Amino acid sequence: MTLPSNKNLPSLNEIDRLIHEPARLLIMANLFVLEAADFLYLMNQTGLTFGNLSGHMTRLEEAGYIEVEKSFVDKRPNTRLSLTDAGRKAFEEYRKNMRGLLAGGV
Amino acid sequence: MSDDIDLEEIERRALTAYNEDGLLDIFIGGYLIFSGLKAFIQLEHRNILLSILPGLGVLLYREVKKLVTYPRIGYMKLTKERRARIARDSIIVILVAAFVTLTGLFTGMGAPENAPRWVLFLNKYNLIFQGVVLAFMFLPLLRPINTGLSCRVPLLRLTLHGHVAEHGHSVRDHRRSNGGMWSLTPSTLHRKVP
């Protein structure tokens, strides 16, 4: 859906809807302040369920925003997530657009 | 989204997440209990044992963390910037501790009567001297605080300015954006996600 835009305000179309979803926003925000985090850590910090986090993780990976590495730590499977350069840039862009949108008197 | 996402808060939670298990308190408490029971322990070299216990404790602490905490909390890796800051702060703390220990040894050991006056003075008031040195040496670790007062003390302004400059903001920019007040954490200004 394309929304009408006011030339004096950033367009709502510029908001990245992939990141805008609350659960994914939480995931991106947590990964933004860290170099990497594993699945269990993100589950604890975001409060999402296993299935929920897994689904969102897949969406973000498909978009190229996060990188997923599966390995073993002390013989236990470990899934490590980190933001890609594209993901970091997209998050910064999202923050800038949101700041501009809300500062524009919405 | 109705709730703000504070990146600073998320980072802070990342740092505190590993310390909420109480293991450090248990280890320190155990060491204190052992120190207290020292008088009742009939070991030939108990003082030596007491001296090496902290080192052993650190190694054991790390292993217990790996066994107990990390499997429950999960793993995360801090950014290079944050790791460098922690390393820098740790070095400052170690240097300060070493400096205070050395000055304590120097000033608290007692001085001969024919020692210079300033040496005798330091010996007499060695605890006060150590306290003052400790307080000033830890100043670089202080983060700017919102006191509601403008900072007129040159030394404090220098320290705070030095810290604010590290985050890429000038002192003037800081004041302007906060209506003349020092903000709690300068990075919050540009990190809050609306």
Side-chain angles (χ1 to χ4, degrees):
Chain A
M1 182 179 92
T2 305
L3 296 163
S5 62
N6 182 333
K7 60 182 174 185
N8 295 322
L9 293 172
S11 166
L12 283 171
N13 295 322
E14 290 169 3
I15 303 298
D16 190 331
R17 286 157 201 272
L18 189 66
I19 299 177
H20 192 60
E21 202 282 332
R24 286 195 287 270
L25 179 56
L26 267 178
I27 295 168
M28 294 288 284
N30 272 278
L31 289 175
F32 185 73
V33 300
L34 301 169
E35 198 172 296
D38 75 351
F39 199 87
L40 178 60
Y41 177 84
L42 281 176
M43 252 178 69
N44 285 324
Q45 294 300 312
T46 59
L48 296 170
T49 60
F50 185 93
N52 210 350
L53 181 58
S54 184
H56 290 301
M57 179 185 87
T58 306
R59 290 286 306 274
L60 289 170
E61 193 186 6
E62 281 168 1
Y65 287 172
I66 64 170
E67 195 181 331
V68 179
E69 278 175 48
K70 291 184 193 283
S71 61
F72 285 88
V73 174
D74 294 333
K75 297 180 185 174
R76 288 179 192 167
N78 183 266
T79 305
R80 186 173 128 144
L81 290 82
S82 55
L83 279 187
T84 58
D85 290 337
R88 227 163 254 281
K89 196 176 163 191
F91 190 72
E92 286 277 13
E93 198 65 34
Y94 171 80
R95 283 171 65 204
K96 194 183 87 178
N97 289 334
M98 285 298 290
R99 208 178 283 135
L101 190 72
L102 293 173
V106 172
Chain B
M1 284 202 64
S2 56
D3 297 329
D4 288 348
I5 290 185
D6 186 354
L7 292 179
E8 187 79 9
E9 178 62 31
I10 291 172
E11 200 178 10
R12 202 176 299 124
R13 269 194 276 132
L15 290 167
T16 58
Y18 287 143
N19 297 317
E20 290 172 343
D21 52 9
L23 275 177
L24 187 63
D25 307 301
I26 293 171
F27 271 74
I28 292 173
Y31 182 75
L32 290 173
I33 289 170
F34 185 79
S35 304
L37 292 174
K38 189 178 75 165
F40 304 102
I41 298 173
Q42 301 298 328
L43 277 176
E44 197 178 327
H45 302 292
R46 61 186 179 190
N47 286 330
I48 295 172
L49 183 63
L50 209 58
S51 307
I52 63 173
L53 261 184
L56 284 175
V58 167
L59 292 170
L60 190 63
Y61 175 76
R62 288 181 62 178
E63 291 308 311
V64 173
K65 272 278 198 200
K66 278 186 200 171
L67 198 65
V68 172
T69 309
Y70 296 154
R72 286 164 177 78
I73 301 291
Y75 295 89
M76 60 87 182
K77 193 174 178 185
L78 296 167
T79 54
K80 278 185 196 164
E81 189 189 280
R82 177 58 81 164
R83 288 202 307 266
R85 199 160 92 175
I86 289 172
R88 188 205 70 188
D89 288 352
S90 304
I91 288 169
I92 289 174
V93 169
I94 290 167
L95 286 175
V96 165
F99 184 77
V100 170
T101 305
L102 288 172
T103 51
L105 285 172
F106 173 68
T107 59
M109 272 185 341
E113 283 178 13
N114 58 352
R117 200 179 279 181
W118 64 272
V119 174
L120 292 171
F121 179 79
L122 286 178
N123 262 275
K124 190 177 174 186
Y125 299 107
N126 71 83
L127 285 178
I128 296 172
F129 171 70
Q130 280 183 67
V132 168
V133 164
L134 201 64
F136 273 89
M137 292 294 283
F138 271 114
L139 268 178
L141 292 177
L142 281 180
R143 303 294 180 248
I145 52 173
N146 190 356
T147 62
L149 305 168
S150 59
C151 194
R152 296 183 191 280
V153 178
L155 176 64
L156 271 177
R157 193 190 309 149
L158 183 67
T159 308
L160 292 170
H161 174 67
H163 180 80
V164 169
E166 176 195 77
H167 286 271
H169 296 277
S170 71
V171 170
R172 277 195 192 153
D173 289 340
H174 217 56
R175 278 187 174 170
R176 204 180 297 134
S177 57
N178 285 289
M181 303 286 200
W182 298 101
S183 80
L184 188 61
T185 47
S187 53
T188 307
L189 290 173
H190 66 276
R191 283 190 145 191
K192 255 204 159 80
V193 176

